[in-house]
């Protein structure tokens, strides 16, 4: 009897938990983006779904429900990684702020991943079927093409705080009077010049999007044309397809960014890449951190910048500054270093979350990538930011404004300024208090971000693309939003009234004149 109840119960349970087939397209070869991609993979596998993951950095934990389409070879041709040279940055030889350049390079990189033989072979197989695609937005819209090929809904994944360009895809760009561009290090309320500047940024962005549109359409056809033809599908315009997503899941949260007015189908899941259970530190690091009674300063410039491109004099001066401190320094550095002081511990690879989670972690010196700033708020560690490229300037400015960070710009005097900043953070408790306060706001949610992610993925599949979430703003042209048609109508009306009045006036005065003339004649 008991056995039967158990079987019925488990059958009921199984029918509730449907395993869906989900394609996670995170093909950008940057390491931090694959950490975000792995976040989706991990949570969806844990929820019992079947995941296919397109990536350049393989997910290390094998799972029976996981299949990977590897495009590792694109890393060799990854221009961006080669340009991340600290010496060149110091000489201001590299400019990462040129939007035309960024959009073009991103289309090229995505096209290279999509035309990779493994991806092509995968798409050509008529047996491949999916219930949903998770497509990363990263200055291009190409991954949306999988939704056309597999005839299923798709979700945009955005790696940044909400900003006009991504919101345009599901709602509208937002008002530049209080909604800054993702590269603007300002937050509302804006001054007059800032407000005008943001309007200009928006116009400029539209120019950029217009400029790359043809290249992107071409790359779309180059990438998906063959698979579409094989399946007998006519490819839509990418321009139409990119507005056809079900929703956007984003690596954002109001404890990390600024509060914004957002559409229903935008859901922030900031921090979903961080595991609930902190992996234990390796034995040597655990011992080092436990015994650091004056605390630990963790120094890492992220996974993209190669430490060996830091000029020798800068390295020497940094070590000199560190040698004067009582604290233990853990420096993530992938090159060779000479004359390393006793209190400095060099590691080629660092388990960053586990280090930040240790109670002795006092300061994190970081380049300010969004994953790093998210982790500092997650674990509540104040930071010193040395921003190097793209959104890092904005992330650090924001952290400074929120009161848990100091900024030290990259220059030849960085070590001296870093020393001042370290002393300030160690001696003034306000930075730590502030980051703990934000950490509370960050953790104080109805559900953990990973659960939210799974919920919305399943919601979109179960409601066949969640059309009920779609913003009506998506289908209202700009002239209607600005009521330009009404303005035109009013102007036209006024012109007609003026004409009529003029005509009436003229005829009256003429009549009057005629009458007077007649009178004159009679007399
Ligand atoms: C995309 O990649 C293919 C194959 O590598 C290449 O032939 C094509 O010119 C590329 N398209 C664009 C728009 O860059
Ligand atoms: C948009 O999505 C709907 C529903 O999934 C689909 O029927 C339609 O063909 C899609 N349009 C484009 C342009 O992809």
């Amino acid at each position: 009897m008991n056995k039967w109840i158990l079987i019925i119960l488990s059958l009921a349970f199984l029918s509730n938990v449907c395993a869906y087939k989900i394609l996670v397209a995170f093909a950008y070869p940057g390491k931090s983006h694959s950490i975000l991609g792995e976040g989706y993979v991990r949570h969806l596998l844990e929820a019992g779904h079947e995941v296919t993951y397109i990536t350049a950095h393989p997910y290390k934990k094998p799972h029976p429900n996981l299949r990977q389409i590897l495009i590792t070879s694109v890393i060799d041709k990854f221009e961006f990684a080669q340009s991340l040279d600290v010496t060149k940055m110091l000489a201001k030889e590299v400019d990462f702020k040129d939007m035309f350049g960024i959009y073009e390079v991103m289309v090229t990189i995505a096209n290279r991943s999509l035309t990779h033989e493994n991806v092509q072979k995968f798409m050509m197989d008529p047996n491949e079927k999916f219930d949903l695609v998770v497509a990363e937005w990263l200055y291009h819209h190409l991954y949306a093409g999988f939704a056309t090929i597999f005839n299923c809904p798709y979700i945009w994944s955005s790696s940044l705080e909400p900003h006009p360009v991504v919101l345009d895809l599901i709602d509208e760009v937002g008002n530049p009077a209080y909604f800054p561009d993702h590269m603007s290090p300002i937050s509302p309320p804006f001054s007059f010049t800032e407000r005008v500047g943001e309007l200009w940024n928006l116009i400029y962005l539209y120019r950029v999007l217009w400029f790359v549109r043809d290249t992107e359409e071409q790359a779309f056809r180059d990438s998906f044309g063959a698979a579409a033809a094989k399946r007998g599908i006519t490819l839509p315009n990418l321009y139409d397809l990119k507005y056809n997503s079900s929703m956007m899941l984003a690596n954002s949260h109001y404890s990390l960014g600024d509060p914004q007015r957002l559409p229903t189908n935008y859901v922030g899941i900031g921090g979903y890449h961080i595991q609930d259970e902190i992996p234990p530190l390796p034995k040597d690091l655990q011992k080092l951190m436990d015994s650091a009674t004056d605390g630990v300063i963790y120094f890492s410039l992220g996974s993209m910048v190669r430490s060996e491109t830091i000029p020798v004099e800068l390295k020497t001066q940094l070590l000199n500054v560190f040698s004067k401190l009582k604290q233990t320094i853990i420096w993530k550095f992938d090159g060779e270093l000479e004359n390393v002081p006793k209190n400095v511990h060099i590691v080629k690879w660092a388990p960053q979350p586990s280090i930040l989670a240790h109670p002795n972690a006092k300061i994190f010196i970081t380049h300010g990538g969004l994953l790093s700033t998210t982790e500092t708020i997650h674990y509540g560690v104040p930071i010193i930011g040395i921003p190097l490229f793209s959104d890092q300037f904005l992330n650090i400015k924001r952290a400074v404004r929120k009161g848990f960070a100091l900024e030290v710009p990259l220059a030849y005097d960085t070590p001296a300024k870093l020393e001042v900043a370290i002393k300030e953070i160690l001696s003034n408790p306000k930075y730590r208090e502030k980051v703990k306060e934000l950490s509370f706001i960050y953790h104080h949610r109805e559900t953990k971000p990973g659960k939210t992610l799974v919920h919305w993925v399943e919601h979109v599949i179960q409601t066949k693309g969640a059309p009920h979430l779609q913003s009506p703003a998506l289908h209202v042209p700009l002239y209607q939003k600005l009521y330009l048609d009404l303005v035109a109508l009013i102007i036209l009306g006024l012109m007609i009234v003026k004409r009529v009045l003029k005509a009436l006036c003229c005829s009256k005065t003429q009549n009057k004149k005629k009458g007077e003339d007649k009178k004159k004649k009679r007399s």
Side-chain angles (χ1 to χ4, degrees), residues 10 25 49 77 94 96 122 136 139 177 206-207 267 304 322 433 445 448 464 468 470 473 497:
S10 49
H49 300 301
K77 296 191 196 136
V94 275
F96 298 113
F122 157 68
E136 190 190 22
Y139 302 98
Y206 268 102
R207 264 182 59 209
V267 176
M304 298 274 288
F322 293 153
E433 281 159 17
R445 310 186 201 189
K448 292 215 156 101
K464 302 199 166 41
H468 55 281
Q470 203 176 66
V497 170

Side-chain angles (χ1 to χ4, degrees), residues 103-163:
Y103 275 83
E104 275 210 305
V105 168
M106 291 303 184
V107 169
T108 310
I109 293 176
N111 178 55
R112 197 178 290 146
S113 304
L114 290 169
T115 52
H116 191 285
E117 55 174 342
N118 292 354
V119 177
Q120 288 295 318
K121 211 164 75 197
F122 157 68
M123 279 196 281
M124 289 299 204
D125 184 348
N127 296 321
E128 297 288 358
K129 289 197 172 56
F130 289 93
D131 297 303
L132 180 87
V133 172
V134 178
E136 190 190 22
W137 177 93
L138 197 62
Y139 302 98
H140 70 82
H141 312 90
L142 292 170
Y143 302 155
F146 289 114
T148 301
I149 299 298
F150 299 117
N151 190 23
C152 66
Y154 76 96
I155 291 178
W156 279 125
S157 164
S158 158
S159 49
L160 304 173
E161 285 294 316
H163 60 91

Side-chain angles (χ1 to χ4, degrees), residues 148 152-153 236-237 240-241 244:
T148 301
C152 66
N237 282 329
D240 297 325
L241 177 60
N244 208 27

Side-chain angles (χ1 to χ4, degrees), residues 431-450:
Y431 303 97
R432 180 159 278 270
E433 281 159 17
K434 191 71 209 182
V435 79
K436 293 286 177 205
E437 193 183 300
L438 287 169
S439 190
F440 173 78
I441 299 170
Y442 167 94
H443 287 288
H444 196 233
R445 310 186 201 189
E446 283 170 298
T447 48
K448 292 215 156 101

Side-chain angles (χ1 to χ4, degrees), residues 99-345:
M99 273 295 147
F100 284 96
I102 291 181
Y103 275 83
E104 275 210 305
V105 168
M106 291 303 184
V107 169
T108 310
I109 293 176
N111 178 55
R112 197 178 290 146
S113 304
L114 290 169
T115 52
H116 191 285
E117 55 174 342
N118 292 354
V119 177
Q120 288 295 318
K121 211 164 75 197
F122 157 68
M123 279 196 281
M124 289 299 204
D125 184 348
N127 296 321
E128 297 288 358
K129 289 197 172 56
F130 289 93
D131 297 303
L132 180 87
V133 172
V134 178
E136 190 190 22
W137 177 93
L138 197 62
Y139 302 98
H140 70 82
H141 312 90
L142 292 170
Y143 302 155
F146 289 114
T148 301
I149 299 298
F150 299 117
N151 190 23
C152 66
Y154 76 96
I155 291 178
W156 279 125
S157 164
S158 158
S159 49
L160 304 173
E161 285 294 316
H163 60 91
V165 193
V166 291
L167 289 180
D168 174 54
L169 297 171
I170 51 165
D171 181 49
E172 60 184 4
V173 287
N175 193 331
Y178 52 82
F179 210 148
D181 174 51
H182 70 310
M183 290 292 185
S184 302
I186 53 173
S187 71
F190 297 158
S191 68
F192 175 74
T193 38
E194 284 172 345
R195 204 153 43 83
V196 174
E198 284 312 310
L199 180 61
W200 168 245
N201 276 342
L202 199 58
I203 295 168
Y204 185 80
L205 264 170
Y206 268 102
R207 264 182 59 209
V208 175
L209 285 171
W210 184 255
F211 174 78
V212 293
R213 186 169 157 174
D214 286 345
T215 321
E216 213 189 347
E217 288 285 351
Q218 187 53 46
F220 179 59
R221 263 146 243 290
D222 291 343
S223 303
F224 296 102
K230 174 123 195 228
R231 286 166 184 256
I233 299 168
T234 21
L235 277 186
N237 282 329
L238 182 58
Y239 186 80
D240 297 325
L241 177 60
K242 73 179 189 179
Y243 291 111
N244 208 27
S245 73
S246 299
M247 66 181 302
M248 179 170 285
L249 290 175
N251 180 33
S252 71
H253 188 255
Y254 43 81
S255 59
L256 309 165
D258 294 312
Q260 292 291 6
R261 196 192 61 186
L262 295 164
T264 318
N265 58 353
Y266 179 101
V267 176
I269 49 168
Y272 71 94
H273 70 284
I274 303 173
Q275 300 187 27
D276 288 339
E277 282 190 20
I278 307 161
L281 279 165
K283 279 215 176 70
D284 56 332
L285 279 184
Q286 182 76 45
K287 219 171 121 196
L288 187 78
M289 291 198 77
D290 287 345
S291 60
T293 42
D294 287 305
V296 173
I297 296 173
Y298 169 53
F299 180 24
S300 164
L301 293 180
S303 51
M304 298 274 288
V305 172
R306 285 158 299 138
S307 316
E308 83 253 13
T309 63
I310 305 176
V312 179
E313 64 246 64
L314 214 56
K315 284 187 254 192
T316 320
Q317 287 173 31
L318 281 171
L319 286 177
N320 185 30
V321 167
F322 293 153
S323 72
K324 290 188 254 170
L325 298 169
K326 278 189 294 181
Q327 284 70 28
T328 300
I329 286 88
I330 299 178
W331 186 352
K332 181 188 160 287
F333 188 93
D334 51 21
E336 293 304 318
L337 271 180
E338 281 166 16
N339 302 326
V340 179
K342 270 207 314 290
N343 64 332
V344 178
H345 186 84

